[in-house]
Amino acid sequence: MKIGIIGSGHIGGTLTRRLRTLGHDVTVANSRGPQSLTDLATETGATAGTLEEAVQDAELVVIAVPVKAVPDLPAALFDGKLVVDADNYYPQRDGDIPELLDRSLSSSRWTADHLKGARVVKVFNNIQAAQLMDAGTPAGTPGRIALPVAGDDADAKRVVMQLVDDLGFDPVDGGTLDESWRQQPDTPVYGTDRDADGVRQGLAEARP
């Protein structure tokens, strides 16, 4: 696939590396501009681009930026795009966002509300970058780490679940975007390396 990645931090950089090894055509962008991504592009063979270049022709776009930066993204650019939301809301970093502080909205629903027209799927937010880089295993491996995948668009979710499998993890249906709070920080599946049954159990045990 042609994939755009917005953000070059721990998760964005790791996904750039992993998706390139799978043969995907990756363009990566960040807030500092393409010149800041020369080393990552040279290492991986990805293209360093602007936000517009990363998104406009992409079949799938990963957003891995601080949540507070989401409202600054040009929503029209993402219209109709399959958007993977790998973000987490951390009040100490992102500031007070009332709907997220009181959990009246999941952070992915909040993101989808800002990116009207995008087909948003939540994944990669509960795994540490080092595990995402090194802990993938072939399908059927006992104890294979599983990742919850939440979204409202069944076709978009199916594409993303296949990508998760290709990366070496068991995809587990995490329900809708409104249910994606079950995989946010301070829930049983956050920052853990559970297998598929463990992820399903953790999602079920999560409390608001």
Side-chain angles (χ1 to χ4, degrees):
M1 282 191 292
K2 190 169 178 58
I3 295 175
I5 298 182
I6 312 305
S8 58
H10 294 306
I11 295 296
T14 297
L15 284 171
T16 299
R17 294 176 176 92
R18 290 295 322 277
L19 292 169
R20 280 295 300 141
T21 64
L22 292 178
H24 295 288
D25 180 357
V26 176
T27 299
V28 60
N30 65 12
S31 60
R32 299 184 301 280
Q35 69 282 353
S36 70
L37 295 165
T38 302
D39 289 348
L40 181 61
T42 300
E43 174 196 340
T44 62
T47 300
T50 63
L51 175 68
E52 290 74 15
E53 289 167 341
V55 176
Q56 59 191 2
D57 295 324
E59 299 166 73
L60 181 151
V61 180
V62 178
I63 296 177
V65 300
V67 166
K68 64 182 179 182
V70 169
D72 297 328
L73 297 173
L77 188 63
F78 294 84
D79 189 39
K81 295 290 184 181
L82 197 175
V83 172
V84 170
D85 172 20
D87 295 346
N88 286 305
Y89 172 55
Y90 301 113
Q92 64 274 24
R93 178 195 66 188
D94 299 308
D96 292 351
I97 301 174
E99 312 94 294
L100 301 184
L101 270 177
D102 68 13
R103 296 190 172 225
S104 58
L105 284 182
S106 69
S107 65
S108 284
R109 175 61 67 199
W110 186 84
T111 294
D113 285 347
H114 282 285
L115 302 180
K116 295 289 189 187
R119 299 181 295 148
V120 176
V121 178
K122 182 79 163 185
V123 70
F124 303 127
N125 71 297
N126 77 307
I127 187 171
Q128 297 178 11
Q131 295 294 82
L132 183 58
M133 187 71 198
D134 298 324
T137 55
T141 301
R144 191 188 200 205
I145 294 173
L147 300 180
V149 183
D152 298 338
D153 185 308
D155 289 335
K157 192 188 290 189
R158 189 157 41 244
V159 170
V160 173
M161 292 178 88
Q162 181 60 59
L163 190 64
V164 169
D165 189 30
D166 293 345
L167 286 165
F169 304 93
D170 277 341
V172 170
D173 193 330
T176 66
L177 287 184
D178 289 329
E179 294 173 290
S180 66
W181 63 267
R182 295 179 181 275
Q183 64 196 71
Q184 291 180 174
D186 301 319
T187 62
V189 301
Y190 177 75
T192 59
D193 297 326
R194 297 179 177 222
D195 64 9
D197 286 342
V199 166
R200 292 187 189 96
Q201 179 182 355
L203 293 174
E205 290 174 349
R207 295 293 177 264

